[in-house]
Amino acid sequence: MRVAIFSDIHSNLYALEKVLESIERESVDLMLCGGDLVGYGPFPNEVINVLRERKIPTLMGNYDDGVGFNRDDCGCAYRSRREAELGEISLKWTISKVTEENKSFLRNLLGNTYYSWSGMRILHVHGSPRRINEYLYEDRPEKNLLRMLEPLKIDLLVCGHTHIPYHRIVGKIHIVNTGSVGKPKDGDPRACYVLLEIEDGLTVHFKRVPYDIDGTIQAIKSVGLPREFAEDLYSATFTH
């Protein structure tokens, strides 16, 4: 079983297109999206349309929830007043641009989803099994993770939301964070997705894909979004 999983596109159409091209070359059995299609980037409707047209099974991310339901908050965690201001600008702009048809699509995305592949029990979430906007970073204490995961009787948890890819084993449970297609935060500006190979165990491949960052930045500037969103793509972290 070969499964490609990606998430956190954040309206970055050029990154998404290159990731899908890469996945098609991998001859996978299944392709899944972990949510956060929109926010921060200049192409929210275009990204949604790609997922709709390809009928890729997609989870609801916290940003999809915020835009789909026209909320005042996207459920993100901010470290400074400026980050909070930028988050508000992004949310309001995205809500104003996404069509009502696409908002309906976002409202009806999947929640946490269970799969069984080649005898492996998998839970796919956006944030965590508990909350759509909970960050599961790699340095979370093992005891804390086991308390959360052991009652679920799973072999593999696939998550996103942090924009930082990793593979960790706690007890006998694998945790795989898929990273981010459109807004990486691990210092590598290339788009990221994960390829899982499941046969007599689990093999995890993180795939990094170059894309037209300059073109995305020009689009960010042309629609009037803050310059910090462009700077973040180059640095692959927060610059503010």
Side-chain angles (χ1 to χ4, degrees):
M1 187 78 180
R2 290 168 58 84
V3 184
I5 308 179
F6 59 91
S7 71
D8 296 280
I9 305 162
H10 287 295
S11 303
N12 190 335
L13 179 65
Y14 299 156
L16 174 62
E17 289 175 335
K18 290 300 181 182
V19 162
L20 293 176
E21 289 176 10
S22 175
I23 291 173
E24 287 171 358
R25 292 193 293 269
E26 295 290 346
S27 301
V28 300
D29 301 296
L30 183 64
M31 189 188 314
L32 302 171
C33 176
D36 268 9
L37 280 58
V38 297
Y40 301 106
F43 301 114
N45 286 300
E46 292 85 349
V47 165
I48 294 171
N49 290 341
V50 169
L51 274 293
R52 292 181 63 185
E53 290 165 3
R54 289 176 172 253
K55 295 181 170 58
I56 298 170
T58 301
L59 300 183
M60 179 188 290
N62 57 291
Y63 224 107
D64 306 319
D65 173 88
V67 172
F69 290 97
N70 296 316
R71 301 194 192 280
D72 296 327
D73 186 271
C74 69
C76 303
Y78 300 116
R79 302 174 300 176
S80 68
R81 179 177 297 178
R82 179 55 179 163
E83 281 186 11
E85 291 172 351
L86 291 170
E88 183 177 1
I89 291 169
S90 169
L91 182 62
K92 288 183 177 180
W93 184 89
T94 306
I95 287 174
S96 74
K97 298 300 180 183
V98 173
T99 66
E100 289 304 317
E101 183 178 1
N102 279 338
K103 286 179 182 177
S104 176
F105 174 78
L106 295 178
R107 289 194 297 270
N108 287 281
L109 290 174
L110 301 170
N112 295 354
T113 305
Y114 288 88
Y115 299 93
S116 180
W117 302 327
S118 302
M120 179 167 280
R121 298 163 298 178
I122 299 99
L123 174 60
H124 188 198
V125 305
H126 177 72
S128 83
R130 298 186 295 203
R131 296 193 307 276
I132 194 173
N133 65 335
E134 181 177 10
Y135 295 87
L136 293 185
Y137 288 107
E138 188 174 9
D139 61 357
R140 177 76 70 96
E142 181 171 325
K143 184 177 179 180
N144 177 286
L145 290 169
L146 288 173
R147 189 182 308 118
M148 181 194 310
L149 299 179
E150 283 185 330
L152 301 176
K153 307 296 183 185
I154 59 174
D155 304 300
L156 166 64
L157 176 74
V158 179
C159 59
H161 189 47
T162 68
H163 299 208
I164 301 174
Y166 68 85
H167 175 209
R168 181 181 176 187
I169 303 173
V170 292
K172 296 182 178 180
I173 303 170
H174 295 264
I175 304 172
V176 174
N177 190 299
T178 59
S180 173
V181 169
K183 196 173 169 63
K185 296 179 183 176
D186 63 337
D188 186 336
R190 295 173 297 172
C192 182
Y193 73 95
V194 67
L195 177 64
L196 304 178
E197 293 184 306
I198 304 170
E199 183 178 1
D200 299 324
L202 174 68
T203 304
V204 179
H205 305 277
F206 291 104
K207 301 289 186 175
R208 303 307 293 239
V209 183
Y211 73 95
D212 185 4
I213 294 179
D214 289 335
T216 302
I217 286 174
Q218 282 300 114
I220 287 172
K221 293 177 179 178
S222 70
V223 300
L225 285 168
R227 62 173 176 78
E228 287 94 334
F229 297 167
E231 294 169 356
D232 288 345
L233 295 184
Y234 273 132
S235 67
T237 184
F238 284 123
T239 57
H240 40 85

